[in-house]
Every structure is written in structure tokens, then in C-alpha cells.
Amino acid sequence: MVTDELGLFDERRTDRSRHQPTRRRRKPRRSAGRKVGIWLSVLVVLALIGGGVWYGLTQIIGIDFGGYDDYAGPGEQDVVVEIPDGASTGVIASQLHEGGVVASTKAFVKAAEGNQKVLGIQPGFYVMKTKVSGQDAIAQILNPESRKGQLEIRGGWQLENIIKQDQSVEPGIIQRLATASCAELNGKSTCVPVEELVEVARTGDLAALGVPEWAVPVASALEPQRRLEGLIMPGVYDVRPGSTAQELWQKVVTESATRLQAFGLPKIAEDTGFTPYQVLTMASLIEREAIEKDFTKVSRVTYNRLASDIQLQYDSTVNYVLDRPDIRTRAEDREQAGPYNTYSRKGLPPGPIAAPSQTAIEAAAKPAEGPWLYFVRCQKDGTSCFAENIQQHEQNVEQAQANGAY
């Protein structure tokens, strides 16, 4: 039948189709346009890298291969710019550019060419005007009045002001820190009042302020106004105008802790028989009692008297609580009770009485060899005479009085 034949025909055809080879699809070739896109991407990346290098040369180290932007006019606002230690002209230019002072680093670098004074720019904080020319920026930063925040501490200075024999006032560390905080920024003063600094010194967390771990427990037990005494090391500090009282103390105390470690504390105290804080206290006494050439001898007197269970009888400790720098004391002063009266109490006072120098700390840890138990300032230049017994000491006192030194 036609239908059968058609069916057989269809069946056979279908069966044969099952055995036909499968035709594989060929992968499309990348078009020329796609290749161009890839190369364009590579070129963009290379351009970005090249641009970064160019920016580094022009904006970071002050090299420029073309023109440069520069401002004109008197400037706008006051800003504080920090110049780091060891900064090159290019780095200074970068700091000023980031602070909005100059329009480009090249503006400052070009203006500085041939000006040897620029090489003498010191690290620290400077009050500058924003949006000034490179030439005006040079003039501003070289003006001594632009540098702010300098604080100098010398050995023997104490936290509180002291009254001299002529009744004039010698500013203490707290007063000097308050003064260093001062600058005029856009018509407003940045001065931190002494009262705020005193409050932080009395109540602040000593560890948070930066006091060394070995000093925190003992310093915390002292009278509040004496907790930071002896922990501010001599040297020059740069404090940022506009800082809070807390930030000012943190800056100074933290840097002092670093200096103490550089001076050898606490390790330097290991073979002395005293704690690191006692060595620090002893160093402050040495600093106040003698001139540098006699430090190790005064240290030996201190060791010998402590070992002999004799009162130190140092006038500096009595005068410390009276805020006086005198080398002598009155009878009524020596009769006053108190933990710092080394006439009435044996041993070291509870804490330092001033900022000790590195030389004083080293002398406290390594005293000279000798049998001395007494000393007195016997020359006008501050030189002391040392004695083994009271008879020799009394003779030295007579000589000191004859010399007008005591």
C-alpha cells in the first residue's frame, strides 16, 4: 500500500539519519575590533602608571617638566603646617601644597632656588596663610614669628613656677607649656590656660598620658600636683598650636618616655640596689644640688648617707615644696614636717623634685668612688667641696662663706 511504502520509506530514512556524522560548530574567531579593545585597555593602564610617576615627580619631590600653578594675592586663612625633621625643599613644598598654602610644589621650589636660607628651615610648626605665591610662602616660613609651639625644658626645672631671691618669678614647665601652645589663627587664640594643664596633670590617666609603665604605680601614689614631676626630660619639644591640654601633655610625656629609655631607664638601675623610680628621684636631687662636673661625687655622697642611715639633709628638697631655688634653708623651713624634708626624714623623698638631665641620671646609676659624706658649694661658679667627716665639712663651710659662695 502506498501508506506502507511511505511508512517503510520514512522509517528507513529516519534510521539512516541516526547514523549521519554530527557536524561540530566552529569556534568563532576573535574579531579585529576585540583585539583593538584589548590593546586600548593596555594603553590606558600604562597611561595611568605613567601619570602616577609624573605626579610623583611633580608633586612629591618638586620636579616639573613644564609650567606650574602659582597663586597671587595676600592669602586667605591661617593654617598650621608641620615641617618634619630632615625635610628637603621638595618635602617642605609638598607639606605646604597639602596644607593649601601654595598652588603647586613647583611654585615653592622655584621660588626657593638660590636662597640658602631655605636650607636652614627647622622642623616644627608654622602658621602660614593659604593661597599665597611661592615667593610669599618663602618669606612667611623664614619669618621667625611664623614658627610656633617651641618648648624648651632644661635640667633642674620643675613643674610649678619658683620665686627667686629678688622676688622675680621663674616660669615652671606648666607655664612654659601653656605659652608654647599659643598662636593666633584667624583672629582666635589657641592658648591653653595653665589651669587646664594643671587639671590634666593632677587627674589624667598617667598611662594614657605616656608615663613609662615602671613609673606609673609610684607616680600615681604621689600628691596630685607632683605626679608628673621629674618625668619631663630636658630638651626641645614641638607642640601643635590648637592642641588640647590632654594632647599637649601626651606629646611631651610620650617623647620624654622615649628619651628616658634612651638614657638607659629602667635597665640602668638594675645593679644600683634602687628601683628605676628611685634612681630618677636621686638624679633630680643631684641636678639641683650640684653643677655637672660634681654630679658623680654628689651621687656618691647620696649613696653613702643612705647606706649609713643618715638623713640626706639636702636644702633642695626643703625648698622644693616652698617653690624656691635657694641653695640654703632657714631654720624654720627645716623644721616643717613633710615627706620632702630630708632634714627630718631619712631616705629619699617620695619622688623627683625637678627634671633630671641624662648626665644626672647616669651619675645616679654610677656614682664616683669615694668615702665622702658631706659637701658644700664652696666656689661662686658652683663647684662643691667634699668631706669625709663633720670637722672637714665645717672647714669647707667656712671657706665657702669666705669665698662668698654660701
Side-chain angles (χ1 to χ4, degrees):
M1 295 179 62
V2 175
T3 53
D4 289 340
E5 289 178 357
L6 288 174
L8 290 171
F9 176 78
D10 290 340
E11 181 178 359
R12 287 195 298 268
R13 195 167 111 181
T14 302
D15 185 63
R16 284 197 303 270
S17 67
R18 295 174 184 166
H19 299 284
Q20 292 297 320
T22 302
R23 191 172 187 180
R24 295 182 179 179
R25 180 177 297 176
R26 182 179 296 176
K27 293 181 179 179
R29 293 182 179 180
R30 291 178 178 173
S31 66
R34 186 174 181 184
K35 288 183 178 180
V36 171
I38 292 173
W39 280 109
L40 284 175
S41 298
V42 172
L43 289 174
V44 169
V45 171
L46 290 175
L48 289 173
I49 294 174
V53 173
W54 182 275
Y55 182 83
L57 291 173
T58 59
Q59 298 298 319
I60 303 301
I61 62 176
I63 298 176
D64 202 331
F65 301 99
Y68 57 90
D69 294 329
D70 200 2
Y71 290 124
E76 294 184 355
Q77 296 182 330
D78 294 324
V79 292
V80 177
V81 177
E82 182 178 10
I83 304 302
D85 190 20
S88 64
T89 302
V91 172
I92 295 173
S94 180
Q95 292 294 100
L96 295 177
H97 180 246
E98 289 178 9
V101 176
V102 292
S104 64
T105 57
K106 188 65 179 292
F108 183 85
V109 172
K110 291 293 289 183
E113 288 180 357
N115 191 334
Q116 294 299 312
K117 292 182 179 180
V118 173
L119 300 178
I121 294 175
Q122 297 299 306
F125 296 97
Y126 294 80
V127 174
M128 307 284 289
K129 284 286 186 184
T130 60
K131 296 187 177 182
V132 296
S133 67
Q135 199 64 50
D136 285 345
I138 294 287
Q140 281 187 42
I141 201 167
L142 291 178
N143 183 349
E145 295 299 316
S146 295
R147 190 177 179 189
K148 302 296 182 181
Q150 270 192 293
L151 171 66
E152 181 182 8
I153 305 297
R154 296 180 183 177
W157 285 1
Q158 63 186 59
L159 292 175
E160 299 290 341
N161 298 346
I162 57 176
I163 302 172
K164 296 181 178 180
Q165 291 181 342
D166 62 1
Q167 298 306 303
S168 63
V169 177
E170 176 73 28
I173 293 173
I174 296 177
Q175 178 64 65
R176 293 175 186 274
L177 181 55
T179 301
S181 74
C182 291
E184 192 80 12
L185 293 179
N186 303 306
K188 295 182 180 180
S189 173
T190 66
C191 293
V192 175
V194 168
E195 294 75 16
E196 291 184 15
L197 291 169
V198 169
E199 180 65 18
V200 173
R202 288 176 175 235
T203 63
D205 184 313
L206 293 183
L209 291 179
V211 172
E213 183 179 353
W214 51 265
V216 170
V218 189
S220 298
L222 297 177
E223 297 174 275
Q225 70 271 27
R226 311 201 189 283
R227 299 192 312 160
L228 291 179
E229 196 74 86
L231 292 169
I232 312 300
M233 293 297 98
V236 176
Y237 300 82
D238 289 302
V239 296
R240 187 181 190 92
S243 300
T244 64
Q246 176 82 11
E247 291 167 341
L248 290 170
W249 277 124
Q250 285 177 328
K251 167 75 171 179
V252 175
V253 175
T254 300
E255 285 192 19
S256 290
T258 301
R259 295 181 189 189
L260 276 169
Q261 187 173 19
F263 295 168
L265 281 170
K267 187 175 178 58
I268 199 174
E270 287 181 355
D271 298 325
T272 64
F274 296 96
T275 68
Y277 198 78
Q278 287 174 323
V279 169
L280 185 70
T281 299
M282 199 182 306
S284 73
L285 304 183
I286 295 167
E287 188 78 50
R288 290 295 295 271
E289 287 285 335
I291 59 176
E292 187 171 314
K293 70 175 184 177
D294 289 332
F295 278 1
T296 57
K297 286 186 175 182
V298 172
S299 179
R300 173 51 62 189
V301 172
T302 306
Y303 272 73
N304 289 346
R305 292 182 78 89
L306 291 173
S308 300
D309 199 30
I310 303 173
Q311 290 98 330
L312 291 178
Q313 296 184 341
Y314 287 170
D315 290 341
S316 60
T317 63
V318 175
N319 286 325
Y320 168 63
V321 296
L322 301 175
D323 294 327
R324 292 203 307 250
D326 299 354
I327 63 170
R328 299 185 66 177
T329 54
R330 297 187 291 264
E332 57 268 29
D333 297 332
R334 296 190 295 271
E335 291 172 359
Q336 292 185 20
Y340 289 86
N341 189 335
T342 55
Y343 277 87
S344 62
R345 296 180 72 257
K346 294 180 180 179
L348 292 167
I353 63 172
S357 62
Q358 179 177 0
T359 308
I361 291 173
E362 292 171 349
K366 296 179 181 179
E369 293 297 327
W372 314 292
L373 287 171
Y374 303 87
F375 69 93
V376 63
R377 188 171 300 182
C378 57
Q379 300 293 338
K380 286 186 176 181
D381 66 356
T383 299
S384 294
C385 293
F386 296 83
E388 300 178 31
N389 54 58
I390 189 63
Q391 291 77 19
Q392 293 175 354
H393 178 60
E394 289 175 350
Q395 292 175 1
N396 289 338
V397 171
E398 290 179 4
Q399 184 62 48
Q401 291 173 339
N403 293 337
Y406 182 72

